[in-house]
Amino acid sequence: MINLFEVVETNKMIEQENLDVRTITMGINLLDCADSDLNVVKKKIYDKITTLARNLVSTGEEISREFGIPIVNKRISITPISLVGGACCKCSDDYVEIAKTLDQAAKTVGVNFLGGYSAIVSKGMTKSDELLIRSIPKALAQTERICSSINVGSTKTGINMDAVKLLGEIVKETAECTKENDSLGCAKLVVLCNAPDDNPFMAGAFHGVSEDDAIINVGVSGPGVVKYALEQVRGQNFEVLCETIKKTAFKITRVGQLVAQEASKRLNVPFGIIDLSLAPTPAVGDSVAEILEEIGLERAGAPGTTAALAMLNDQVKKGGVMASSYVGGLSGAFIPVSEDQGMIDAVNAGALTIEKLEAMTCVCSVGLDMIAIPGDTPATTISGIIADEAAIGMVNQKTTAVRIIPVIGKGVGETVEFGGLLGYAPIMPVNSFDCSAFVNRGGRIPAPIHSFKN
């Protein structure tokens, strides 16, 4: 039971320290919508989403009002759509038609994003998978609320380099298709390794085939709460620092647990997981980079950054798992450049580079996230960056991802404005040496030796 002391503490975290529940995400299984007729599939998809999620937004708003807890986003994740459209989609334009249906369903129920325009191709691509991937640029250009994710590798299967090469080209094409909006389509496309089935955070969310017909997943946040707690123990040793982070993560997760249980009960949908990720926003005081600086770094990116981030991630998880029996998703610290004012400041100060961010992804939740790069970056270079991140995930048995935005018409030194939670970002320089001969080899990088555990 949540007691009165916890309620008072929670109110303080909300009012003074930027605590919020970042998202309530309803996962919906669409496998039963498959059919050989495209129009039948579209109708089934629309009807199922608008029926199951019709009260999602209003329920989230009710809980927020009653408990005084800000719930920033209400979202939907669906079965990877390449599994649903295989029998009816004969060309990539057929998938674009499904994307438009999904977008209309998202608008009807009022959610801000719907994730699951996705394919799992870590070992190989079916014809359906390839058609969906090739449809992504047009689908993201012609919709507003659809998010796309492609899983190209795993610790068990290795890395599908054919998919990696193709996705470098798709990222560039998506940037071109949405260049009037500063290549915003790329902000809704993420390439993953070891993607979890129950991630509530966009753009990588999809509803895994091992999940229930519908579930409620909740993503909590609270970098500002952690930073405030660490300010109270400034200068003390690592033992005190770690205990403080654990206790704070426990409190944050309890808030998420309360919201998840209420949403599950009111919507009559099973509770899935709590995702503990520290997800920053562009708001001042709501930054993972500022936590790292409070730990003792002049700027994020300084020597010691990776160690500080590893400690932060570990203590968040240790505190969170004591507060909920169902922790899942990604659960750790996000380090998106455009969505974290401290990260933006570190890039502008010259403290943070793509290479340092790559090192940090070895120990954080996801990977290279919301990074703007010059619009003339070659597709093979983007594929090489994706391969590097996938290798980190594969070898370390963790989720990694790339959400990178080649902003057409802009170069290093310029800034791109995305707006809202997506924030703004400086264009970061990319290593200019060529990797095309590596990317063009084709085939699959084998799974590492430690993947054999049967």
Side-chain angles (χ1 to χ4, degrees), residues 248-316:
T248 306
F250 178 90
K251 296 171 189 174
I252 293 170
T253 308
R254 292 286 279 176
V255 174
Q257 178 84 358
L258 171 63
V259 169
Q261 289 173 338
E262 281 297 316
S264 172
K265 181 172 66 177
R266 297 183 189 197
L267 291 165
N268 195 29
V269 172
F271 164 45
I273 57 95
I274 301 287
D275 188 310
L276 310 177
S277 298
L278 294 178
T281 72
V284 175
D286 200 24
S287 161
V288 171
E290 290 178 11
I291 296 174
L292 300 176
E293 290 164 11
E294 183 59 43
I295 289 173
L297 306 170
E298 182 180 3
R299 285 285 187 193
T305 297
T306 306
L309 183 60
M311 180 194 64
L312 173 65
N313 228 28
D314 184 54
Q315 301 310 310
V316 165

Side-chain angles (χ1 to χ4, degrees), residues 165-196:
K165 179 188 176 188
L166 175 58
L167 280 157
E169 298 164 3
I170 293 299
V171 169
K172 282 286 296 218
E173 192 179 337
T174 302
E176 285 283 354
C177 286
T178 56
K179 63 183 178 182
E180 292 80 9
N181 295 319
D182 282 331
S183 303
L184 183 64
C186 296
K188 297 183 284 182
L189 170 60
V190 60
V191 185
L192 295 134
C193 178
N194 287 325

Side-chain angles (χ1 to χ4, degrees), residues 117-352:
Y117 196 75
S118 307
I120 313 297
V121 297
S122 49
K123 201 171 184 181
M125 282 185 288
T126 65
K127 183 64 176 175
S128 176
D129 293 329
E130 185 175 347
L131 287 175
L132 178 131
I133 292 171
R134 292 190 183 277
S135 76
I136 288 171
K138 189 180 289 187
L140 295 182
Q142 295 184 16
T143 60
E144 295 177 15
R145 309 187 188 203
I146 301 306
C147 290
S148 181
S149 59
I150 308 295
N151 191 78
V152 298
S154 75
T155 301
K156 278 288 186 183
T157 62
I159 302 170
N160 182 350
M161 288 301 293
D162 291 327
V164 168
K165 179 188 176 188
L166 175 58
L167 280 157
E169 298 164 3
I170 293 299
V171 169
K172 282 286 296 218
E173 192 179 337
T174 302
E176 285 283 354
C177 286
T178 56
K179 63 183 178 182
E180 292 80 9
N181 295 319
D182 282 331
S183 303
L184 183 64
C186 296
K188 297 183 284 182
L189 170 60
V190 60
V191 185
L192 295 134
C193 178
N194 287 325
D197 285 353
D198 54 7
N199 169 24
F201 285 103
M202 301 297 164
F206 61 84
H207 185 73
V209 295
S210 63
E211 301 287 329
D212 211 329
D213 196 51
I215 53 169
I216 290 293
N217 294 327
V218 167
V220 296
S221 188
V225 180
V226 175
K227 179 177 181 291
Y228 179 84
L230 294 184
E231 287 172 357
Q232 313 312 306
V233 295
R234 188 173 291 167
Q236 299 198 44
N237 63 28
F238 281 107
E239 183 179 354
V240 173
L241 191 72
C242 291
E243 287 299 310
T244 301
I245 295 170
K246 280 195 295 185
K247 290 174 182 176
T248 306
F250 178 90
K251 296 171 189 174
I252 293 170
T253 308
R254 292 286 279 176
V255 174
Q257 178 84 358
L258 171 63
V259 169
Q261 289 173 338
E262 281 297 316
S264 172
K265 181 172 66 177
R266 297 183 189 197
L267 291 165
N268 195 29
V269 172
F271 164 45
I273 57 95
I274 301 287
D275 188 310
L276 310 177
S277 298
L278 294 178
T281 72
V284 175
D286 200 24
S287 161
V288 171
E290 290 178 11
I291 296 174
L292 300 176
E293 290 164 11
E294 183 59 43
I295 289 173
L297 306 170
E298 182 180 3
R299 285 285 187 193
T305 297
T306 306
L309 183 60
M311 180 194 64
L312 173 65
N313 228 28
D314 184 54
Q315 301 310 310
V316 165
K317 291 179 180 180
K318 285 174 177 172
V321 295
M322 294 299 293
S324 174
S325 298
Y326 297 101
V327 171
L330 299 164
S331 291
F334 287 178
I335 51 172
V337 172
S338 78
E339 298 172 17
D340 187 315
Q341 185 61 51
M343 294 290 179
I344 295 168
D345 293 341
V347 170
N348 287 331
L352 198 56

Side-chain angles (χ1 to χ4, degrees), residues 7 65 97 369:
V7 171
R65 282 194 302 270
E97 289 302 306
D369 195 15

